[in-house]
Amino acid sequence: MTAIPLNHALILSAMLFTVGLVGLLVRRNIFFMLMSIEIMLNAAGLAFIVAGTRWGQPDGQVMFLFILALAAAEVSIGLALILRLYQQFKTMDVDAAHELQG
Amino acid sequence: MTLQDLRPLLPLLVLSAAIVTVMLVIAFKRDHRLTFALTLIGLVLSLAALPLASSGLPRTVTPLVVIDGFALFYIALVLAASLVVVIFSFSYLEKVAGNREEYYLLMMLATLGAVVLVVSNHFVSFFIGLETLSISLYTLIAYTRFERQRIEAAIKYLVLAAAASSFLLFGMALAYLVYGTMQFDQMSSPSNFSAADSALLTVGLAMLMVGIGFKLALVPFHMWAPDVYQGAPAPVTAFVATVSKGGIIALMLRLFAFVPLTLGSNLWNVFALIAILSMLAGNVLAVVQSNVKRILAYSSIAHFGYLLVAFLASNALSISSMTFYLVVYIITSLIAFGVITVLSHPQKEFEELEDYRGLFRQQRRPAIFLGLALLSLASLPPTGGLVGKIFLAAAGVESSLWLLLAALVIGSVIGVFYYLRVAITIFRQPEEESAVWTAPRLTPLAEVTLVLLSLGLIILGIFPAPLINLIEAVAARLG
């Protein structure tokens, strides 16, 4: 088995990050926005693993575990807020919530 | 890690123990007063543990955390600010129907997150501290239920903060890829970086800056600030404006003490652009607002732009002038949001400029406190705001950053206009119908706190030397 070159892995994580970012900017459904954020977080996690591999350290993978834990916490709060959003506004569209303005 | 290592960690340990205690007490007995009292005791004990922790410093406890004079100073600042916010929260929460106790729990967790940020010396502790702070804040912003604005503000904050966190993490990953370490004090730039490595590092640090810029609400990452400031309950807004931002500034100072930011590099120019945009846009946009919480949000954008001027100067004065300005800013914000909090009702926040018309005739003391805070924000004497701004400008002059200083002066001049507009509204004749408006009265504890904060603000304006000496002593040990 040949090792995967560092650059390739890094480019993959950059691409995943971009996919997530574009999804976040384009989608207006709060559900898909949260999923896009998940993709961005995991892309960052992948980049950490790549960095850890370069130095032969486990630190990158440890960081990935922390990121997983964070993503879970963030999504659980996010889903609770989505439920409340739906109760109040009867929609999943974030643009419906625009009462705050100057 | 040895037993001696636990001693410098004492403030964190006490705070964590207090959190667990409060959590258990809530499980057995729901009582608003009891939870409030326990939270106060926990925060005060944690503050009292600071002198005990201060022997044998600086000390690195595991690679993650470093405790030095600088860290202890900022821990004290964060804990004290949080204590004041908790005091103001009590009378506000009394009027909330439903569960009130978890609010204190979340506030202490958020404080712990800020404290971890302040002492962190490693990307992992940076990240954990930041997320403990942020995730508690998402919930705090939406705390009083069944309010459409709260939910909107919380969702906006959640989506943008999570996106900013992923930028931050990607930036950290790139910095780790180049440095081969996640410990701040081992990050030194050797001259033998390959071209690819230095390009990656620039991208990484820029992404880190997106994350930090978001938390400090610098232009162009400021979109959340006005909406969250307006939508969140008033005491939570006070927390976001003081504890959250103070923790980030401490971290930024520590990180960039090791990662050099050379004058004139690409990254430096981007920072400078962000600073200028924040100072100008923050002040200009504040002029057209008619909601006091939104005015304060835009004003905070501008104030953190001012702080960046000293940061970019990166000379001997930078750290001390930024810290002094931050202390003054935190005291000022606590007074301003404290007055808003004690006059607010969870169903109707006291936030429209029209509400403030004639406040002085109805409630003398809150009006005077707020007026003083506005003077300090506008950097007028006799408040600490003036001294702080001069100090910041001195750091800029030292490094001849004329363009940034020009933006600072222009921004301040615009600032005086809208701060005074609010101040004048307070002292105007009330209209007929608004005379009926009865805002809640101050509780004795809140009033004593406001008096002490106001005295502190005036003392810093007249005798700033003791605090400056203290800050210079603790800042000297950094870097």
Side-chain angles (χ1 to χ4, degrees):
Chain A
M1 203 180 108
T2 48
I4 302 167
L6 195 76
N7 282 351
H8 293 194
L10 205 56
I11 290 167
L12 174 66
S13 62
M15 277 165 61
L16 276 175
F17 192 84
T18 318
V19 168
L21 186 60
V22 171
L24 182 68
L25 296 176
V26 172
R27 290 286 192 162
R28 296 273 53 104
N29 185 316
I30 180 71
F31 231 80
F32 285 93
M33 290 173 83
L34 275 190
M35 283 164 71
S36 307
I37 288 171
E38 287 293 285
I39 297 176
M40 286 166 78
L41 284 173
N42 283 315
L46 180 61
F48 262 109
I49 293 179
V50 173
T53 316
R54 175 176 181 185
W55 303 105
Q57 293 168 351
D59 301 32
Q61 296 177 28
V62 171
M63 193 68 175
F64 183 70
L65 290 178
F66 279 119
I67 294 175
L68 278 186
L70 155 80
E74 213 144 49
V75 161
S76 54
I77 305 253
L79 289 177
L81 285 176
I82 289 179
L83 275 178
R84 298 258 304 275
L85 176 82
Y86 189 74
Q87 282 167 2
Q88 292 287 328
F89 295 91
K90 300 285 173 241
T91 174
M92 299 290 245
D93 189 343
V94 280
D95 287 342
H98 57 86
E99 290 176 6
L100 298 168
Q101 45 200 252
Chain B
M1 187 156 172
T2 60
L3 212 55
Q4 280 84 39
D5 283 344
L6 290 180
R7 200 182 156 113
L9 284 183
L10 217 51
L12 279 85
L13 295 174
V14 171
L15 186 58
S16 312
I19 291 172
V20 176
T21 313
V22 168
M23 204 184 298
L24 286 174
V25 168
I26 292 175
F28 287 107
K29 187 169 173 9
R30 268 193 185 281
D31 186 282
H32 185 203
R33 280 174 184 278
L34 178 67
T35 318
F36 172 69
L38 282 176
T39 310
L40 283 190
I41 293 170
L43 289 170
V44 169
L45 280 183
S46 186
L47 271 171
L50 285 171
L52 291 176
S54 64
S55 62
L57 299 178
R59 196 179 180 95
T60 313
V61 188
T62 74
L64 298 180
V65 163
V66 63
I67 313 268
D68 49 16
F70 177 79
L72 289 184
F73 182 84
Y74 269 91
I75 293 177
L77 188 61
V78 162
L79 288 175
S82 171
L83 188 68
V84 172
V85 173
V86 166
I87 290 172
F88 289 139
S89 305
F90 181 74
S91 57
Y92 185 90
L93 283 176
E94 279 278 271
K95 301 161 221 150
V96 172
N99 293 339
R100 301 168 270 204
E101 290 75 15
E102 282 82 356
Y103 173 92
Y104 296 100
L105 191 58
L106 288 164
M107 195 140 261
M108 280 163 95
L109 274 170
T111 310
L112 181 66
V115 170
V116 171
L117 265 184
V118 166
V119 298
S120 70
N121 183 37
H122 195 283
F123 279 155
V124 170
S125 42
F126 172 11
F127 167 69
I128 301 229
L130 185 71
E131 295 305 333
T132 313
L133 175 62
S134 303
I135 292 180
S136 314
L137 277 180
Y138 303 151
T139 333
L140 278 175
I141 290 170
Y143 196 80
T144 47
R145 291 198 294 161
F146 309 120
E147 286 241 349
R148 294 161 73 95
Q149 294 194 346
R150 302 269 191 271
I151 298 168
E152 181 189 338
I155 285 189
K156 277 183 179 161
Y157 191 70
L158 174 97
V159 169
L160 290 172
S165 292
S166 33
F167 269 95
L168 193 79
L169 282 169
F170 208 95
M172 283 180 189
L174 291 179
Y176 174 43
L177 185 77
V178 175
Y179 283 126
T181 177
M182 292 204 248
Q183 241 174 295
F184 297 167
D185 52 11
Q186 290 176 7
M187 289 179 185
S188 51
S189 303
S191 48
N192 55 359
F193 270 172
S194 68
D197 270 355
S198 44
L200 277 177
L201 186 61
T202 309
V203 174
L205 290 180
M207 288 179 97
L208 267 176
M209 194 53 208
V210 174
I212 293 176
F214 170 84
K215 282 286 161 192
L216 296 180
L218 297 168
V219 177
F221 317 111
H222 66 288
M223 294 84 74
W224 62 275
D227 290 348
V228 170
Y229 271 53
Q230 186 190 351
V236 176
T237 312
F239 192 88
V240 173
T242 55
V243 177
S244 161
K245 291 186 175 179
I248 299 282
I249 286 283
L251 177 111
M252 195 165 126
L253 288 176
R254 195 184 285 285
L255 175 62
F256 285 95
F258 298 107
V259 179
L261 194 68
T262 38
L263 198 118
S265 68
N266 286 337
L267 206 58
W268 192 93
N269 289 334
V270 174
F271 270 86
L273 188 66
I274 289 176
I276 292 173
L277 283 176
S278 302
M279 286 185 272
L280 297 182
N283 280 317
V284 169
L285 290 170
V287 172
V288 295
Q289 302 300 321
S290 62
N291 180 310
V292 175
K293 277 163 104 186
R294 289 183 85 89
I295 290 178
L296 288 174
Y298 284 110
S299 116
S300 91
I301 295 171
H303 279 277
F304 282 86
Y306 302 150
L307 273 175
L308 271 192
V309 174
F311 176 72
L312 286 166
S314 51
N315 53 33
L317 280 177
S318 290
I319 293 178
S320 41
S321 63
M322 283 175 77
T323 307
F324 183 83
Y325 195 78
L326 191 68
V327 173
V328 171
Y329 180 76
I330 285 181
I331 295 176
T332 312
S333 296
L334 285 174
I335 297 174
F337 286 112
V339 170
I340 296 178
T341 307
V342 293
L343 295 179
S344 285
H345 190 277
Q347 305 308 321
K348 191 205 173 294
E349 297 245 327
F350 197 69
E351 57 183 13
E352 291 299 328
L353 202 51
E354 261 320 289
D355 297 341
Y356 284 81
R357 195 164 163 167
L359 180 69
F360 182 69
R361 302 202 171 249
Q362 287 157 21
Q363 300 221 23
R364 284 277 145 93
R365 280 165 297 182
I368 291 171
F369 296 136
L370 188 60
L372 191 71
L374 289 165
L375 280 185
S376 176
L377 285 170
S379 0
L380 295 175
T383 57
L386 179 68
V387 183
K389 184 89 55 81
I390 292 172
F391 209 8
L392 279 188
V397 169
E398 190 101 329
S399 295
S400 333
L401 309 173
W402 304 120
L403 193 61
L404 284 164
L405 285 170
L408 188 146
V409 171
I410 296 170
S412 306
V413 172
I414 304 173
V416 171
F417 168 71
Y418 63 82
Y419 293 129
L420 288 188
R421 190 169 62 126
V422 179
I424 288 168
T425 314
I426 295 173
F427 292 99
R428 268 168 68 185
Q429 197 71 27
E431 282 174 10
E432 293 290 315
E433 65 267 36
S434 69
V436 195
W437 162 257
T438 47
R441 295 275 148 193
L442 288 175
T443 62
L445 192 57
E447 179 151 6
V448 170
T449 316
L450 278 172
V451 169
L452 287 179
L453 286 172
S454 308
L455 280 180
L457 194 59
I458 295 175
I459 289 171
L460 284 183
I462 302 169
F463 305 111
L467 181 67
I468 291 176
N469 291 339
L470 175 67
I471 290 172
E472 272 171 354
V474 298
R477 295 193 219 165
L478 186 76

